[in-house]
Every structure is written in C-alpha cells, then in structure tokens.
Amino acid sequence: MPLEPKESEAPLSRRDFLRTTATTAAVAAPYFVPASVFGAQAPSNRINVACIGVGNQGFLDLELFSAQPDCRMVAVCDVNQGSPGYKNPEDVRGREPARKLVEGLYAKQSRSGNYKGCDGYGDFREVLARDDVDAVVVVAPDHWHEAITIAAAKAGKDIYCEKPLGLTIAGQQRMIKAVRDNNRVLQTGSHERSNPYVREVCEMVRDGAIGKVRRVVCNIGRHNKVGPGPGWKPMPVPTNLDYDFWLGPAPEAPYHQDRCLYNFRFNYDYAGGQVTNFGAHSIDIAQWGLGMDHTGPTQIESLYADFLPEGSLFNASTYSDFRCKYDNGVVLECVTAEPAVRCAFFGDDGVVSIDNQGQNATVIPRGLAPEELQKRVKYHSGPDHVRNFLDCVKSRSEPAAPVEVGHRSATVCHMGNIALRLGGKFEWNPKTEKFEGGRSDEANAMLDREQRTTWSS
Ligand SMILES: NC(=O)c1ccc[n+]([C@@H]2O[C@H](COP(=O)([O-])OP(=O)(O)OC[C@H]3O[C@@H](n4cnc5c(N)ncnc54)[C@H](O)[C@@H]3O)[C@@H](O)[C@H]2O)c1
C-alpha cells in the first residue's frame, strides 16, 4: 500500500528532492540528463545509507546493505571508536573497524582496488544533519531506538530499525507518530517477515491447514552470557568509549563492561532480556500467523519467572513463562526452553512448528509433509528484508514489517515483561493499548520510562 503524503510539515529529503526535480526537469527542461545515462548509479537511483550502531548486528547489517548495488553506505556511527568485547569477545567492532570494513567491501568492487568515502561519526545527530543521507539503519541498543528513530524521521530519513522496535510501549507509539507525521518508510528488523518460508507457514495457518488454531507456543531462549552478581565493582571507562553517550536516555549508572556491548540486552534499563530479544522474532511470527498484526491479546498472565539475585548486573528474567489470550480464545504461551523450535501453532487438525533458524517447518499429522513444503519454498533470509526496505524507499510503499507491525509484536513482549515483573494476571485493551481492571494502575505505570532530559524526544 503506498504511503499517502500527509498535509504535514514533513521535511523534503534528498530523495524526495531528487524525485521532484527529476520529474519537473523531465517535463520542463530540455537539458535534463535522463537517468538512463547514469543507469543504476544515477543520483536519483542510489540510496545513501548510514548505519548507527556498528557492533554485533551492525556489522552484519553493514554487509547486507553494502551488497545491494543501488545502495551506498556513506557513513557509520558509533559511540565506541573501536574495541573487542562484543558477542564474540575477540571481535573488534565500533566505528573505525566498521568504516574500514565498508571501505574494504567497496574497494573489492572497484577497478582500482581502493575506496574512500565512508565517514565515521560518534554523534548520530551529525549523520542526520547530512543532506546526502537518505536512510539510516538503527542498530544501537534498544534504549536508543526511540530517540534515534524520531530524530531521523524528523530529519526526513527513512529508517531500518532493528528489532525490538523500542524499549517501551509508549515509546513505540511516539515512534509511529514521528514516522507517519513525517511520511517516512520504516522497516522493523524482524527479518523473518521477508523469509518466504515463514511467510508460507503463516499463510498456511491462516488458511486453515491445521484447522482451527487453539494454541501457539513461542520460544524465548535462555541467557547466553553470564554477568557479575551482587557486589560487582564498577570498572574504569575505556578511553575508546563515550560512555555517557552510550547511556543516553537511560539512567546514570556506574560503568561495567558487561553493562554495555552486547550484554546490555540482559539489563532491564536498556532492553527486556530474551523476552524482547528472541520474542521479537518468535512472537512476531505468532502474531503474523494468527492474523493479529494490528491488534493483540486481551489478557496476559505470568506463569513463572526467575531472576538472578538482587544486585546482579543482569536483572532481566532468566526463565520466563507467560500466557496470553486473544479475544477469539487462542492461547499464546511464551516460554524459556532449548531453542530447537521457535514457534509452534497447534490446531484441531495438526501442528506446524518452525525451527529456530526459520529454515524448517514440521507439519503433523495432516496438511503438507515437510519435504513438500521444502520444495515449495526456497529458504532466504536477511538480504530480502534489506532489499524490501530499499525497494520501499524508492516506491514509498509499505515494507514487510512496517512500524505498526513491529510495535504490536514488541508490545506483546513488553506486556510479558510487565507481567513477569509484577506477577499475576492482567487484562489488556488492544484498542486503547492500556491495561484495565484490577492492578491496572501498576501495570500502566510500566508502559513508559523516564528518560534523561537531554535525550527525551
Ligand atoms: N535482527 C536480528 O536478528 C538481530 C540480531 C542481533 C541484534 N539485533 C538488534 O540490534 C541492536 C544492537 O544489538 P547488538 O547485538 O548489535 O549490540 P552491540 O552492543 O553489539 O552493538 C551496538 C552498538 O551500538 C553502539 N551504540 C550505543 N549507543 C549508540 C549511539 N547513541 N549512537 C551510535 N552507536 C551507539 C554501541 O557502542 C555498540 O557498538 C539491538 O536492538 C538488537 O536487538 C537484531
């Protein structure tokens, strides 16, 4: 569906400008140079992209975007100049290694074997101030997604924002507003949306291949890192890292290496543990297969939650089990388990389960046999999601995982965390997006978080 331009004061981006002037020139000016002269490299065809946050996933996204012929990665931005200490502790990442990676990738494609033209920044606002940047990839930790996305939308940039969409339900609503008010394209980085294999499974479920769906089970994975326990000692801030900028909208806190790179996902100030990390994929598939993209459950109940001892740096739940109910009676259960199955749909006539890589589905006992499914759909992942985003930047159409869809899937994850932290059962109104009934005040107070004023949006 094309995005309707609104009568707002949305900024004219470089691409909007090029498109407008190209159209005007084609009609009015005989000296206009047609795009065919430049081919795929024509200024109006090429999408200049900057990647904000170049750590673990940022490096992967850099490679995926740089591989697209009509995309040019013109800038990378990170508050870490460069260091080891990421998911694989030996990997050196951050803005200088990222800049070198990009220039190396383009050098390989150039005749001279040399390439210069990707700039490194420590402050994303300088990236957004560049007129020649069309789109940004937001791959900073979750607590930064809202501020960077809103600033990018206001600056007229299109946005590929990694999953989960935001840190809070209210923050995500503000992101939607900024994206729509400024007529921007936003793709949420839940790449299974562009995996035709998963698409097929979701369509099968919605088309009744397993009869009436009664239950969906989603895996949310275990903590895959160990953090320091109570009594941990702050560490000196490394010179390569602008730690205050890393904290950004989050509360002030003493530095520890396990607070920041990669491990931030286990601390509730910056993320929601594996509930939002893995849940943003598995629960997203559940929402998709159930046809609930623009709504959500009406009830949520914490069944079991485990946390590390008070004072541990990792304070997100280590074991999570919560159950949601939708208005139509379908039950969604999200549970920490070995990640062999990402998401399983149970219906009256069978079961469909998708493995953790989104590469295999098992259909039992009726419907298609797994081999038939394999034949029908060839596995693709990541690059198609990036391709879909770039195509939508050009066509101004809705991408595979628009901001509202990313919001609704992440909302179920955030609701899960709220229930796990408070304990008990809560009623949710997906229209007003508020908890209702007994103890709703407590739960509604967790829809948003205070942000340090310098970064509030
Ligand atoms: N799509 C997927 O499957 C997938 C996989 C992994 C991570 N992710 C998402 O990507 C995001 C980043 O995760 P990660 O594992 O790469 O974390 P990471 O810690 O490895 O990398 C994040 C980088 O962002 C930098 N950063 C922090 N604040 C910044 C700011 N204000 N401006 C610029 N850079 C800043 C950090 O210094 C770090 O280098 C998370 O939201 C995560 O959920 C998505």
Side-chain angles (χ1 to χ4, degrees):
M1 192 212 321
L3 304 176
E4 285 304 320
K6 282 190 183 167
E7 278 193 40
S8 68
E9 296 189 354
L12 197 62
S13 70
R14 184 187 77 99
R15 292 197 58 74
D16 296 336
F17 176 76
L18 287 169
R19 196 176 306 105
T20 313
T21 48
T23 314
T24 314
V27 173
Y31 52 81
F32 172 67
V33 183
S36 55
V37 171
F38 297 106
Q41 293 306 315
S44 54
N45 281 342
R46 203 177 76 182
I47 302 168
N48 286 342
V49 177
C51 191
I52 301 173
V54 277
N56 163 49
Q57 180 68 16
F59 262 52
L60 180 61
D61 288 344
L62 280 181
E63 295 203 22
L64 296 175
F65 275 87
S66 302
Q68 298 296 326
D70 54 352
C71 165
R72 185 59 48 152
M73 188 61 66
V74 294
V76 292
C77 171
D78 202 298
V79 296
N80 179 16
Q81 197 178 357
S83 74
Y86 283 86
K87 182 181 183 185
N88 174 3
E90 280 108 60
D91 287 345
V92 177
R93 301 201 158 171
R95 71 176 174 269
E96 263 313 292
R99 201 184 57 70
K100 285 192 186 133
L101 171 79
V102 173
E103 293 195 335
L105 289 170
Y106 287 136
K108 275 191 208 148
Q109 296 166 15
S110 79
R111 245 179 276 157
S112 68
N114 290 314
Y115 182 84
K116 293 270 166 273
C118 178
D119 300 318
Y121 294 86
D123 186 333
F124 67 92
R125 293 167 297 187
E126 289 174 33
V127 175
L128 299 182
R130 272 179 64 161
D131 287 342
D132 66 334
V133 170
D134 301 309
V136 291
V137 190
V138 181
V139 208
D142 308 6
H143 68 288
W144 264 112
H145 289 189
E146 178 191 343
I148 299 175
T149 294
I150 292 176
K154 287 181 176 168
K157 315 299 182 197
D158 294 317
I159 303 141
Y160 184 103
C161 180
E162 270 303 345
K163 47 56 58 177
L165 185 69
L167 186 68
T168 64
I169 294 172
Q172 293 174 171
Q173 291 163 338
R174 292 188 285 268
M175 292 166 84
I176 293 176
K177 182 168 183 335
V179 167
R180 293 306 173 194
D181 282 356
N182 292 285
N183 203 28
R184 296 296 100 204
V185 172
L186 184 144
Q187 175 89 293
T188 314
S190 33
H191 52 78
E192 298 298 4
R193 289 272 169 171
S194 295
N195 176 347
Y197 199 79
V198 176
R199 173 176 292 278
E200 178 104 13
V201 167
C202 289
E203 279 171 6
M204 277 172 57
V205 170
R206 286 198 305 271
D207 289 349
I210 54 166
K212 185 169 169 33
V213 179
R214 303 280 175 191
R215 196 162 71 100
V216 189
V217 177
C218 285
N219 188 319
I220 44 191
R222 290 177 191 280
H223 276 200
N224 55 344
K225 296 282 178 181
V226 178
W232 59 267
K233 299 269 179 306
M235 299 168 88
V237 177
T239 49
N240 54 284
L241 179 70
D242 186 340
Y243 177 55
D244 189 56
F245 211 148
W246 187 94
L247 283 173
E252 277 193 65
Y255 175 79
H256 190 287
Q257 65 183 18
D258 291 333
R259 184 184 290 284
C260 293
L261 310 178
Y262 188 78
N263 289 344
F264 71 85
R265 50 183 35 74
F266 306 112
N267 186 302
Y268 197 64
D269 279 343
Y270 322 113
Q274 299 296 37
V275 172
T276 48
N277 190 36
F278 284 119
H281 290 303
S282 55
I283 295 174
D284 183 59
I285 296 172
Q287 284 268 112
W288 196 15
L290 292 175
M292 295 289 175
D293 273 347
H294 295 282
T295 180
T298 51
Q299 192 186 80
I300 187 148
E301 181 180 9
S302 169
L303 299 176
Y304 186 79
D306 214 357
F307 294 91
L308 292 169
E310 182 83 28
S312 300
L313 188 55
F314 292 2
N315 57 9
S317 58
T318 49
Y319 184 95
S320 315
D321 188 358
F322 60 92
R323 184 193 289 148
C324 306
K325 270 193 195 148
Y326 290 85
D327 232 5
N328 59 5
V330 174
V331 171
L332 166 67
E333 188 166 325
C334 305
V335 64
T336 303
E338 289 307 325
V341 170
R342 180 167 271 183
C343 183
F345 295 87
F346 296 81
D348 284 345
D349 298 337
V351 181
V352 187
S353 63
I354 299 168
D355 80 342
N356 201 38
Q357 300 305 314
Q359 294 185 21
N360 279 295
T362 313
V363 188
I364 359 170
R366 280 192 257 159
L368 295 173
E371 313 80 65
E372 286 177 67
L373 193 67
Q374 292 275 23
K375 258 188 261 156
R376 279 172 57 178
V377 186
K378 195 170 172 310
Y379 172 70
H380 302 284
S381 189
D384 295 317
H385 206 49
V386 167
R387 186 65 254 159
N388 169 258
F389 170 66
L390 296 171
D391 289 342
C392 293
V393 166
K394 289 180 173 176
S395 66
R396 313 311 294 165
S397 301
E398 287 286 43
V403 63
E404 291 85 358
V405 168
H407 165 59
R408 289 292 183 165
S409 296
T411 291
V412 183
C413 306
H414 297 315
M415 286 166 61
N417 270 330
I418 291 171
L420 291 170
R421 296 182 95 75
L422 294 177
K425 196 189 277 187
F426 299 86
E427 306 301 319
W428 174 255
N429 183 335
K431 287 205 178 81
T432 59
E433 299 188 67
K434 293 267 186 298
F435 290 98
E436 291 177 346
R439 296 182 65 210
S440 57
D441 287 353
E442 266 179 285
N444 282 328
M446 295 173 77
L447 296 178
D448 206 354
R449 310 225 196 143
E450 214 168 294
Q451 303 187 18
R452 285 205 285 169
T453 48
T454 34
W455 298 112
S456 64
S457 40

